[in-house]
Amino acid sequence: MASSSPGPELLDRHAEALRLFTDRVHAVRDDQWSAATPCTQWSVRDLVAHLTTEQLWVPPLVTEGRTVAEVGDAVDGDVLGDDPAAAWDRAAADARTALAAPGALERTVNLSYGDTAADAYCAQMISDAVIHAWDLSRAIGADERLPEELVGFTRREVGPYAKGLSQTGLFAPAVETTEDADPQTELLALLGRRA
């Protein structure tokens, strides 16, 4: 998978993506946690749990250097508990700390598909947070506009492998766009979403 160069810019994008998703999580009303999302198999709570679980993986993989097998089922189950926003906040803060630590982006992490450069892992985390921030925005009726820098970053990150994503079953096939589509619309269409 594509990777941005490690360093301050990547960490800036990571912090920005986490803030974006955090803003959306804190905008979820009590009566919206069971609402449907553009990810057809997931409710709002499922979507937030997915992203929270992703953040919970970061410290053991990046800071502790553990493998996926060693972490095992430690982050399975109900990761949100009675206060989903607080659970997200804690997980996001810990992931941020792990990836921003000196030398963290120069490490190698063990993911489900093999060893991966930590900066590439961080880039994937950014892209996932950006796309799912849009999904969450659509689900709860929040502002769907994504920051330009994050749209550009995510497009560059997922572009090289976007065509194969629908084969994973996690993404719908790409949708057609008009010639005058803006970058956000093009990014969403690439990932099977209609703006």
Side-chain angles (χ1 to χ4, degrees):
M1 294 189 177
S3 165
S4 296
S5 60
E9 184 179 353
L10 186 62
L11 290 173
D12 287 348
R13 294 291 83 77
H14 182 250
E16 190 178 5
L18 288 180
R19 281 194 303 271
L20 176 67
F21 197 78
T22 297
D23 287 346
R24 297 309 183 267
V25 171
H26 284 270
V28 178
R29 297 189 318 261
D30 288 344
D31 64 343
Q32 292 180 312
W33 288 104
S34 60
T37 71
C39 303
T40 55
Q41 303 300 315
W42 288 343
S43 67
V44 166
R45 185 179 174 94
D46 295 333
L47 178 63
V48 174
H50 166 70
L51 263 288
T52 301
T53 299
E54 283 198 343
Q55 309 317 306
L56 291 171
W57 276 97
V58 176
L61 296 178
V62 175
T63 305
E64 300 166 21
R66 294 164 68 190
T67 65
V68 168
E70 289 168 343
V71 177
D73 61 2
V75 296
D76 287 355
D78 180 11
V79 298
L80 298 182
D82 295 333
D83 192 343
W88 160 259
D89 289 346
R90 284 190 303 274
D94 289 348
R96 175 76 185 142
T97 298
L99 287 167
L105 295 180
E106 298 163 16
R107 297 176 186 152
T108 298
V109 294
N110 176 260
L111 303 180
S112 59
Y113 51 83
D115 288 346
T116 302
D119 63 323
Y121 177 44
C122 182
Q124 293 165 32
M125 298 286 286
I126 293 166
S127 298
D128 212 37
V130 170
I131 294 302
H132 288 316
W134 182 86
D135 292 331
L136 187 52
S137 299
R138 169 72 48 109
I140 67 172
D143 181 6
E144 295 178 12
R145 179 60 37 194
L146 301 170
E148 265 182 56
E149 296 84 0
L150 288 178
V151 169
F153 178 93
T154 303
R155 178 69 191 268
R156 289 188 299 276
E157 172 63 20
V158 303
Y161 57 86
K163 288 184 177 164
L165 288 175
S166 65
Q167 296 169 2
T168 67
L170 300 174
F171 292 85
V175 297
E176 293 291 321
T177 59
T178 60
E179 286 185 16
D180 61 347
D182 63 31
Q184 177 173 318
T185 300
E186 290 177 351
L187 171 64
L188 295 170
L190 192 64
L191 297 173
R193 290 154 168 86
R194 295 186 186 277

